[in-house]
Amino acid sequence: VLIRSPEWVRPTMDGRKMENGTVLAAFLSLSCIVRDHPQVAEEMFGGNKSASELKTSQQCAQLALSSVRTSMHETFKQLLKAGIESREATVVFFQYLVESNAGRAQMAVDERRTSSEGMLINLAAVLLRLSEPFLTPDFKKIALVDNEYPICPRLDLSKETRLLATSSEVEGWRDGAAAALIARKKGTKGEQVHRYEPNWSESDNKAEFLKNHPHLASEPLPYTFITEVFWLTLRTLHVGVLKSMAQHQALVRRLAQLSQEQEHRAKIAHGNSMRIALESVLCDPHFLEVGVKMYVFFAEWLCQLVDPVSAGQVLPVPKPLPEAYRAVPEFAIADMGEFVVFVLRTQPAILLRVPNLDRILKAIIMLLADTELLNSTHLRSNLVEILLALAPTDSTDPLSAQLAYLFEPKDSSSFMALIGPALMDLYIDIESTGRDSQFYEKFNVRYQIACLFRYLWGIPIHKAAILARGADMERSVRFINMLLNDATYLLDEALNKLQEIHEREVKMKDPSWKTLPAAERAEDQRNHSREEHVVRIEFLLANETVNLLSYLSAELAAPFMLPEMVSRVAEMLNFFLVTLADPSKRENLHVANPAKYHFSPKKLLLMIVNTYLNFANQPDFIEACAKDGRCFEFSQSCCFTRESCLSLIHI
């Protein structure tokens, strides 16, 4: 009766109408998110509630949501067990509910036509619970995932970017993949399929709708239920949960900015209410834990898809690559990283409870190290953020110490030892991402790579692998060329802006500044705040880049001393040495609070002097320094040592 009801599912409904006009979707809409139910959120988290009262409200909300998710999971489980017709009707319900909300994955969301945040998060929670039985540590159920799905899916993935295939290529593979799937299932229990026909009203214009959505008119394929729920869950996480996670992180950043300005207390209070309300729905520990398990399963499935024998342990992987791999949508890999990073930032202890977390790391290294596996440099760069988030770079954090095993290979033959060389290659490749913002994006990614290098440099196997990669002179020269470009640009920009901040501080201290019109003073303060923000970022990036240059050159001097490189190295070091050490120049770098901008001239100068000393026994370098009359007068120089450089500057 339920699945044949006109209110079970209507194909032409948008997400909002599906939520309000179908039998079961409404039960999934329970939420305390401000955008969904502002009155509920205000009652539970608004006003001047204390921290303990907010915590109590959050616990009450999570208990209520857990009860609803448990009940809905049980309801759908019974429907799925009730027979092939009921199972197909339930899968179709999930399909239409997810597809009607595909617009939520876009930058601009029309909330009048999409379901509420809470409903999609609750739907994802139910699907994750349905998935939980096959997310076992032994990965035995991976064999039950039909690999043809990315090529001929039930869901509409036609507008999604694929890893290594165009839409027309995927369409060309569709018939062959479907025929292979049917042939493989022939004579087994799995060959039985049932087509569920949803209810159509006279006003639905069925023919026109199916013409615009041809995948809905095709006959169902004999996919296993595990295959169906696996991809339904990944898609729901993408259109619903990951969007909410991104909004949560944007809200956290905005609150951090507002907290620096005392006059925004009311906005901060409202923002905190929004944050806690969203976390009540989004940050249920069981929900996040099963979500991580799903991406561990996905990572292992991806590795086995590419290489059924070694599952990504041996690189490069066998070629040619399977069509099914080439057709995998990019969003699944990007979401894997974003989900794990979100858990690390909100409830990191969950990662300690999830077995086989290293499978995600293995998949990332495979995708980074074998450059034929991804077309998108931008997607490769996103994977670096996961590595940096997982890397135990903070020695004082107990959790970091417990995750250290992920980055400590047993020997040089381990796939883990490929991280360093893969990062060196990406440092070069990120120069061009194909995006309009690539000039600024590359600095952020290279900063993350430099932070990872600093950690990996302390692990002998990783250090040896990086140095071995450095023996390839062609790649080394390109890598060092990018390194010098970044160090020069970032440090020069940061120092120039610091001079502007110095000049503005002097101006604003002068009594005459207070006599200027209020509008002019306000403009000065806005420019000052803007430059402070930029210079903080530039020094953060510059410090890490110069540090990388310093310790890398100590072990890998040869590429720096090539004829096409040595003059560039000498000129750059000379220029910044004079800028930081010359009393007449460093006076212009004096600011009230240098630490605020991550500007530590003594440490910076020490790194530069250490780099000089790394080349002290190189005649070509000494000659190049002496020839550089543009920014360093040799006759006025002195002998700099590690001990004496700290006394050169007192800013």
Side-chain angles (χ1 to χ4, degrees):
V1 173
L2 184 63
I3 64 174
R4 292 173 183 170
S5 164
E7 286 76 38
W8 175 248
V9 66
R10 289 277 296 280
T12 58
M13 284 183 172
D14 60 35
R16 184 63 63 174
K17 291 177 180 177
M18 281 282 288
E19 179 175 354
N20 298 326
T22 56
V23 179
L24 292 181
F27 290 99
L28 292 167
S29 63
L30 180 68
S31 165
C32 59
I33 296 174
V34 173
R35 283 183 291 271
D36 296 347
H37 303 287
Q39 292 180 338
V40 174
E42 176 62 27
E43 183 176 341
M44 297 189 71
F45 305 106
N48 297 315
K49 289 184 172 63
S50 65
S52 61
E53 289 174 326
L54 289 172
K55 187 172 181 63
T56 300
S57 294
Q58 188 175 47
Q59 290 171 341
C60 290
Q62 289 183 333
L63 284 171
L65 285 167
S66 179
S67 176
V68 169
R69 291 169 180 177
T70 300
S71 298
M72 294 307 297
H73 166 245
E74 189 61 32
T75 299
F76 284 117
K77 188 168 71 171
Q78 294 305 318
L79 286 167
L80 289 164
K81 288 182 175 180
I84 188 169
E85 182 184 6
S86 180
R87 192 191 86 165
E88 180 66 13
T90 305
V91 172
V92 168
F93 170 79
F94 287 142
Q95 173 193 2
Y96 285 151
L97 191 53
V98 174
E99 289 196 355
S100 65
N101 286 287
R104 276 192 56 82
Q106 299 172 357
M107 291 293 292
V109 179
D110 184 355
E111 295 189 357
R112 297 169 300 177
R113 298 180 59 82
T114 58
S115 299
S116 63
E117 275 187 88
M119 197 226 70
L120 287 167
I121 296 171
N122 290 332
L123 176 62
V126 170
L127 287 169
L128 282 170
R129 292 190 183 204
L130 291 172
S131 304
E132 199 166 4
F134 66 80
L135 303 178
T136 55
D138 57 14
F139 299 112
K140 286 184 178 180
K141 302 295 184 181
I142 280 183
L144 298 178
V145 177
D146 296 311
N147 293 337
E148 293 86 356
Y149 195 96
I151 301 175
C152 40
R154 177 192 294 268
L155 292 165
D156 182 10
L157 302 178
S158 60
K159 296 180 181 178
E160 297 296 333
T161 303
R162 311 302 180 103
L163 294 183
L164 293 170
T166 63
S167 298
S168 58
E169 284 176 322
V170 174
E171 190 60 35
W173 300 333
R174 176 184 290 272
D175 291 343
L181 174 67
I182 293 170
R184 196 172 70 252
K185 297 294 178 76
K186 191 172 183 178
T188 69
K189 292 182 180 179
E191 74 170 332
Q192 188 179 10
V193 295
H194 175 85
R195 179 175 178 80
Y196 173 79
E197 187 65 30
N199 286 283
W200 298 86
S201 70
E202 294 181 1
S203 61
D204 281 343
N205 197 347
K206 178 180 176 180
E208 183 68 21
F209 184 81
L210 292 179
K211 180 181 177 181
N212 295 328
H213 302 83
H215 69 291
L216 298 177
S218 58
E219 289 296 316
L221 292 169
Y223 286 122
T224 63
F225 174 69
I226 287 178
T227 303
E228 299 275 21
V229 75
F230 175 58
W231 282 102
L232 279 167
T233 306
L234 290 176
R235 185 65 172 161
T236 306
L237 288 167
H238 177 63
V239 302
V241 176
L242 271 298
K243 186 78 173 182
S244 296
M245 287 179 169
Q247 290 172 342
H248 175 274
Q249 292 303 296
L251 177 59
V252 169
R253 289 192 296 270
R254 178 59 180 156
L255 287 172
Q257 292 173 354
L258 290 175
S259 66
Q260 298 176 5
E261 305 173 25
Q262 295 297 321
E263 63 269 22
H264 294 300
R265 290 180 181 177
K267 288 185 178 180
I268 293 172
H270 178 67
N272 273 323
S273 296
M274 292 181 63
R275 176 184 60 79
I276 297 170
L278 181 55
E279 288 173 354
S280 300
V281 180
L282 193 58
C283 295
D284 175 75
H286 180 262
F287 170 71
L288 294 179
E289 182 175 342
V290 182
V292 175
K293 288 180 179 178
M294 169 58 75
Y295 285 114
V296 168
F297 186 89
F298 168 74
E300 182 62 18
W301 171 80
L302 192 71
C303 291
Q304 292 190 23
L305 175 64
V306 172
D307 184 359
V309 177
S310 301
Q313 298 270 12
V314 179
L315 297 177
V317 299
K319 307 295 189 306
L321 295 167
E323 291 174 352
Y325 169 80
R326 296 173 61 190
V328 170
E330 284 188 357
F331 74 74
I333 291 175
D335 292 350
M336 174 179 69
E338 291 173 17
F339 195 97
V340 172
V341 170
F342 179 85
V343 174
L344 273 164
R345 289 172 177 169
T346 56
Q347 297 195 39
I350 286 174
L351 297 181
L352 301 178
R353 302 199 296 266
V354 176
N356 301 314
L357 192 62
D358 62 316
R359 303 307 173 96
I360 289 180
L361 205 66
K362 180 181 70 171
I364 292 171
I365 295 170
M366 178 186 77
L367 293 168
L368 287 175
D370 192 333
T371 55
E372 295 183 49
L373 290 176
L374 289 180
N375 272 341
S376 172
T377 303
H378 177 69
L379 183 56
R380 288 172 65 201
S381 67
N382 285 350
L383 298 177
V384 176
E385 184 179 3
I386 318 175
L387 291 178
L388 183 58
L390 288 170
T393 53
D394 184 359
S395 58
T396 62
D397 183 0
L399 178 67
S400 285
Q402 294 180 71
L403 291 175
Y405 75 94
L406 293 171
F407 290 85
E408 296 176 354
K410 295 178 180 178
D411 54 56
S412 58
S413 64
S414 169
F415 72 90
M416 199 75 67
L418 297 170
I419 297 179
L423 292 175
M424 288 183 75
D425 289 342
L426 182 58
Y427 198 101
I428 299 169
D429 297 339
I430 198 64
E431 184 72 16
S432 177
T433 64
R435 292 160 60 95
D436 293 339
S437 56
Q438 68 182 22
F439 180 77
Y440 298 101
E441 283 182 348
K442 70 180 182 181
F443 292 123
N444 182 53
V445 176
R446 286 173 177 167
Y447 167 74
Q448 294 174 342
I449 292 174
C451 291
L452 282 166
F453 263 34
R454 175 163 42 84
Y455 168 69
L456 297 174
W457 199 253
I459 301 174
I461 291 176
H462 287 304
K463 181 177 179 180
I466 293 170
L467 291 175
R469 185 61 168 162
D472 180 345
M473 282 297 173
E474 181 180 353
R475 297 294 290 180
S476 285
V477 167
R478 292 183 64 193
F479 173 77
I480 290 169
N481 189 52
M482 304 297 178
L483 185 61
L484 293 174
N485 286 346
D486 288 0
T488 302
Y489 175 82
L490 290 168
L491 198 50
D492 190 38
E493 284 288 304
L495 291 172
N496 285 336
K497 286 188 176 65
L498 197 68
Q499 289 186 42
E500 294 176 14
I501 290 173
H502 162 76
E503 291 168 2
R504 188 168 282 110
E505 284 184 348
V506 171
K507 176 183 176 182
M508 293 168 71
K509 283 181 181 179
D510 193 293
S512 62
W513 183 76
K514 295 182 179 180
T515 65
L516 296 174
E520 187 174 341
R521 282 185 281 119
E523 181 65 20
D524 277 345
Q525 289 172 333
R526 280 194 295 271
N527 291 336
H528 191 64
S529 297
R530 186 163 51 248
E531 287 182 357
E532 283 188 322
H533 174 70
V534 172
V535 82
R536 275 196 295 269
I537 295 173
E538 288 180 338
F539 268 121
L540 195 66
L541 303 182
N543 290 338
E544 204 62 55
T545 306
V546 174
N547 187 39
L548 172 57
L549 180 65
S550 177
Y551 64 74
L552 185 65
S553 61
E555 303 278 351
L556 195 67
F560 290 91
M561 295 298 104
L562 291 173
E564 63 268 32
M565 301 296 294
V566 64
S567 294
R568 286 195 60 206
V569 175
E571 290 169 4
M572 183 198 77
L573 292 174
N574 289 345
F575 176 76
F576 289 119
L577 178 64
V578 171
T579 301
L580 291 169
D582 186 334
S584 64
K585 295 181 182 295
R586 70 174 187 248
E587 181 63 29
N588 295 327
L589 304 177
H590 184 85
V591 291
N593 185 7
K596 180 180 181 180
Y597 312 113
H598 307 290
F599 177 51
S600 177
K602 292 183 179 182
K603 291 182 180 178
L604 198 54
L605 187 59
L606 180 59
M607 288 187 286
I608 290 172
V609 171
N610 277 337
T611 308
Y612 270 108
L613 296 175
N614 293 336
F615 304 134
N617 60 349
Q618 301 287 341
D620 291 342
F621 175 73
I622 296 171
E623 183 178 349
C625 285
K627 287 181 177 179
D628 178 25
R630 183 186 60 172
C631 59
F632 186 78
E633 294 186 11
F634 189 78
S635 61
Q636 296 179 1
S637 68
C638 60
C639 180
F640 297 110
T641 66
R642 286 184 175 88
E643 292 75 20
S644 65
C645 77
L646 292 177
S647 65
L648 287 173
I649 191 163
H650 301 282
I651 297 180

